[in-house]
Amino acid sequence: MDEELNHIENLAVFCASSDGNDQLIFDTAYEVGEKMAKNNLRLIYGGSKLGLMGQVAKGIMDHGGKATGVIPDFLKTKEVVHTGLDKLITTQDMHERKLTMNDLSDAFLALPGGFGTFEELFEIVTWAQLGLHRKPIGLLNTNGFYDDLINMLDKMTAKALLKKDNLDILLVSDNFEDLLAKMKNFQPKPVPKWMNKNQT
Ligand code: AMP
């Protein structure tokens, strides 16, 4: 087997705090947790028992895996917080939460979600683009959920508003194992962020 470029032990997962109405997306969230347990990956996530977040956590805990929840104090009500995790870190606010999740994680994975998921995903991609970290970032395109976003990113690249090398930071697959393999073999390019119209 080829040597892996990136050792991934702690995987941050960003995903919806709602269940949604797509059964495949809902079931896949649980399966991601199950597969993470089988791959000895610790889940680093927002610490909620709600929605797809709760499904990933359930999938991993049901299969003997490990999960660290990182939750801001104001969200830590008993309706929200997952009490069955082996580690729970309380932060003062959302900013501290994101920094903590970043520090604890070797890689990042986004499943389908809403504004919160997009905000977390694009912040971490932007930090990579600026060279603030070199950790792999994956987008799991379950049931074509992210097709429109991928088209939008292609349009941004076609309009020379997003550099191709930066587009390539975001690894995409509709299959968890395939995406994990891509993340393990991700090699970031040392590219400058700023573009000018002479660049392709
Ligand atoms: P959204 O995609 O808008 O549902 O937001 C989900 C993302 O935002 C997750 O990855 C969390 O880190 C964070 N988040 C949003 N709502 C909650 C919640 N009730 N409890 C914990 N984290 C949340």
Side-chain angles (χ1 to χ4, degrees):
M1 211 176 88
D2 290 344
E3 189 84 354
E4 286 161 3
L5 294 175
N6 305 295
H7 178 69
I8 303 178
E9 219 173 289
N10 299 291
L11 179 61
V13 175
F14 307 136
C15 63
S17 54
S18 309
D19 289 348
N21 58 12
D22 183 322
Q23 194 64 41
L24 185 60
I25 287 176
F26 187 79
D27 293 344
T28 300
Y30 182 88
E31 281 164 25
V32 166
E34 177 180 351
K35 288 173 183 173
M36 284 179 66
K38 290 182 175 161
N39 283 279
N40 293 318
L41 296 168
R42 173 179 279 276
L43 170 68
I44 311 290
Y45 87 118
S48 176
K49 64 177 179 186
L50 302 175
L52 302 187
M53 299 171 71
Q55 285 306 300
V56 179
K58 186 165 166 27
I60 200 160
M61 298 316 286
D62 283 354
H63 294 86
K66 298 203 180 325
T68 302
V70 185
I71 193 157
D73 201 35
F74 79 93
L75 279 176
K76 215 181 155 188
T77 59
K78 68 175 182 325
E79 294 85 46
V80 171
V81 72
H82 195 307
T83 50
L85 308 171
D86 65 289
K87 235 181 195 176
L88 189 68
I89 298 171
T90 307
T91 62
Q92 281 189 343
D93 52 35
M94 295 294 278
H95 293 292
E96 190 192 343
R97 171 210 240 170
K98 284 189 287 181
L99 283 175
T100 306
M101 285 178 68
N102 183 24
D103 287 348
L104 292 175
S105 306
D106 306 310
F108 305 91
L109 172 68
L111 308 188
F115 279 156
T117 303
F118 274 56
E119 192 264 344
E120 291 173 311
L121 172 67
F122 282 113
E123 181 171 67
I124 216 68
V125 176
T126 309
W127 288 0
Q129 174 176 276
L130 294 170
L132 297 175
H133 74 84
R134 294 168 67 80
K135 300 175 184 177
I137 306 166
L139 186 68
L140 190 65
N141 189 20
T142 308
N143 212 6
F145 178 79
Y146 280 120
D147 286 354
D148 292 337
L149 177 68
I150 293 161
N151 284 337
M152 186 69 215
L153 297 177
D154 286 340
K155 186 192 235 175
M156 288 153 69
T157 309
K159 298 282 181 192
L161 297 171
L162 170 61
K163 199 169 164 51
K164 176 74 170 71
D165 281 346
N166 288 334
L167 173 70
D168 291 344
I169 291 171
L170 192 57
L171 307 170
V172 183
S173 178
D174 59 5
N175 174 279
F176 176 79
E177 284 86 357
D178 176 55
L179 188 53
L180 187 60
K182 284 186 181 177
M183 291 164 78
K184 286 180 174 172
N185 290 303
F186 170 69
Q187 192 162 29
K189 291 187 187 138
V191 286
K193 186 218 176 292
W194 307 112
M195 301 169 65
N196 62 54
K197 57 183 180 214
N198 298 323
Q199 289 178 299
T200 50

